[in-house]
Amino acid sequence: MEKTVSIIVPCYNSSFYLDECLKSLLNQSYSNIEIIVVDNGSEDNSLEICKSYQSYDSRIKIYVEKKGNQGAARNFGIDKATGDYLMFVDSDDYVSRDFCRLALSSIEKYDSDICIFNYITIENGKHFNKQVFSNTSSGIVCKEEAMKSLFYESFSFNKIYKASCFKNIRYPISKKYEDVLTIYKVFDKAKTFSYINNYLYFYVKRDGSTTSQYEYLEDYFLATLNLYGFLRKYYPNTIDSKAKDTLFKVALIYYIRGHGNNIVLRNEAIRVLRKNVIPTDVKFKSKIIVKLVRRVPVIANSLVKLYRKINMFFVKLRFTIFINCER
């Protein structure tokens, strides 16, 4: 008997992208799927678009869950899923025709708990191939390599999971970057991993997406710090110079651009900047800031505060100009 794949699609104000997303799912070469759309209280006609597709394909199941963020919508979808396997698709993205078939084939062939595959990022009309494991062919991946990959991509979408992997694991409902805060737990629980060296998912980056908003830098740094601490404690061999450089850069961005009032987290960022080696590709101006943090922190803090005030001024100015032009 064919296994069922449950595809969970959180949806919020995605009317411009939904057609391409849903068409790509309904046109899958593997047909035994259920598409669980969880609307987060969209204020556009996203829900109506979903219902129009549901009217001629019963594989689409629609739920409305207005509480919480994308993490809450995913949790709701997980609870409603009846499939043997879980996959996640964001409503402004789309997938290849063999998205389910190839992923399912790999996870069954190798009896893995999770199968990982490549994806393509689309930004400003340009396509960028994202290969998860370089110089690695399709097949079994050791757990340590799988855990290590999370520091560079902790997305939910480029994987298929046995449904049991999410037993007693759910996404946080009050934080952004919920993937980073969750997927490492799922990977830690899993025993076996496989990999497909194919590009099956198209990740569309757009203005307003979580990864493009500086206002969520506190959540981003917290999630990165949490993941780094977990890997360092339980999988120490995964922490190499590249991982340390990544943590350093996230801490630096948070220190300079973050607008939160979390003193503890800010001090943690300063600790990272003082303790770790400055990556070679950090820009000259940022290197000056780091050196000031280490030697004259009072001046560094003053410069950063001035930068934020200037930046905020121009943000407000652009907004005012935009509003006036709209009138």
Side-chain angles (χ1 to χ4, degrees):
M1 185 176 178
E2 281 191 328
K3 300 290 187 180
T4 301
V5 178
S6 298
I7 306 172
I8 298 168
V9 186
C11 177
Y12 179 74
N13 291 350
S14 301
S15 59
F16 186 77
Y17 306 91
L18 261 177
D19 278 315
E20 188 165 28
C21 176
L22 294 177
K23 284 178 181 177
S24 71
L25 293 176
L26 293 175
N27 290 329
Q28 286 298 295
S29 56
Y30 185 83
S31 60
N32 193 20
I33 61 176
E34 63 171 359
I35 303 167
I36 301 174
V37 178
V38 183
D39 186 88
N40 253 157
S42 295
E43 297 171 344
D44 60 6
N45 64 330
S46 293
L47 187 57
E48 287 70 26
I49 292 173
C50 293
K51 288 179 178 178
S52 69
Y53 279 92
Q54 184 188 46
S55 65
Y56 66 84
D57 198 316
S58 60
R59 292 179 298 173
I60 296 180
K61 301 177 181 178
I62 302 172
Y63 300 94
V64 177
E65 173 57 50
K66 296 182 179 181
K67 299 178 182 178
N69 61 357
Q70 182 170 253
R74 284 178 176 160
N75 292 340
F76 192 91
I78 293 170
D79 292 339
K80 294 295 182 181
T82 62
D84 306 281
Y85 300 97
L86 300 178
M87 300 183 83
F88 298 91
V89 175
D90 291 343
S91 57
D92 46 3
D93 300 337
Y94 58 97
V95 300
S96 75
R97 177 169 166 75
D98 294 320
F99 172 67
C100 291
R101 184 181 66 81
L102 291 179
L104 182 60
S105 176
S106 174
I107 206 169
E108 290 191 325
K109 178 180 179 180
Y110 299 106
D111 191 27
S112 53
D113 296 314
I114 299 172
C115 173
I116 307 162
F117 44 86
N118 303 328
Y119 60 97
I120 295 174
T121 296
I122 303 173
E123 188 171 10
N124 297 323
K126 296 181 179 179
H127 289 58
F128 303 93
N129 289 351
K130 302 294 183 179
Q131 187 176 20
V132 180
F133 301 104
S134 58
N135 304 317
T136 301
S137 57
S138 299
I140 291 291
V141 175
C142 72
K143 184 166 185 174
E144 191 168 274
E145 281 301 305
M147 297 301 300
K148 184 177 181 178
S149 73
L150 292 178
F151 212 79
Y152 313 109
E153 67 85 24
S154 287
F155 295 118
S156 298
F157 57 62
N158 64 321
K159 303 162 183 73
I160 184 172
Y161 315 80
K162 284 184 178 177
S164 58
C165 288
F166 277 87
K167 185 178 180 180
N168 300 323
I169 296 177
R170 292 295 185 269
Y171 292 89
I173 61 175
S174 60
K175 296 287 185 182
K176 294 291 184 179
Y177 299 96
E178 63 277 354
D179 287 4
V180 185
L181 290 165
T182 305
I183 297 303
Y184 79 86
K185 298 176 184 177
V186 179
F187 271 42
D188 180 56
K189 184 176 182 179
K191 294 181 179 179
T192 53
F193 299 81
S194 59
Y195 168 62
I196 307 173
N197 193 13
N198 291 74
Y199 297 88
L200 304 181
Y201 192 96
F202 295 85
Y203 168 40
V204 183
K205 295 188 73 173
R206 57 177 176 131
D207 293 338
S209 65
T210 300
T211 49
S212 68
Q213 295 179 0
Y214 283 119
E215 63 183 293
Y216 299 121
L217 277 176
E218 182 173 311
D219 285 351
Y220 184 34
F221 179 50
L222 181 62
T224 305
L225 196 64
N226 184 70
L227 174 60
Y228 184 89
F230 179 85
L231 292 178
R232 185 177 61 179
K233 182 176 181 179
Y234 296 104
Y235 300 90
N237 291 334
T238 65
I239 302 298
D240 55 14
S241 59
K242 189 176 178 182
K244 293 177 181 178
D245 286 354
T246 300
L247 177 65
F248 186 97
K249 291 173 185 176
V250 175
L252 180 59
I253 293 172
Y254 173 69
Y255 175 74
I256 295 175
R257 294 178 177 267
H259 294 282
N261 296 315
N262 190 327
I263 296 176
V264 174
L265 197 60
R266 186 167 178 77
N267 288 337
E268 188 62 29
I270 292 172
R271 186 192 67 80
V272 171
L273 297 179
R274 285 177 172 173
K275 181 180 179 181
N276 293 347
V277 176
I278 302 176
T280 56
D281 58 344
V282 169
K283 293 182 179 180
F284 177 75
K285 291 181 181 179
S286 296
K287 287 181 180 179
I288 296 298
I289 292 293
V290 174
K291 289 179 180 179
L292 287 173
V293 167
R294 294 175 174 181
R295 298 174 185 175
V296 197
V298 174
I299 295 178
N301 289 336
S302 297
L303 287 174
V304 168
K305 286 180 181 178
L306 179 61
Y307 167 81
R308 290 177 179 173
K309 286 181 180 179
I310 294 173
N311 187 54
M312 186 58 63
F313 169 78
F314 282 107
V315 168
K316 291 180 179 178
L317 180 62
R318 286 195 297 268
F319 180 75
T320 302
I321 292 172
F322 173 75
I323 293 297
N324 290 334
C325 289
E326 289 292 302
R327 289 175 177 173

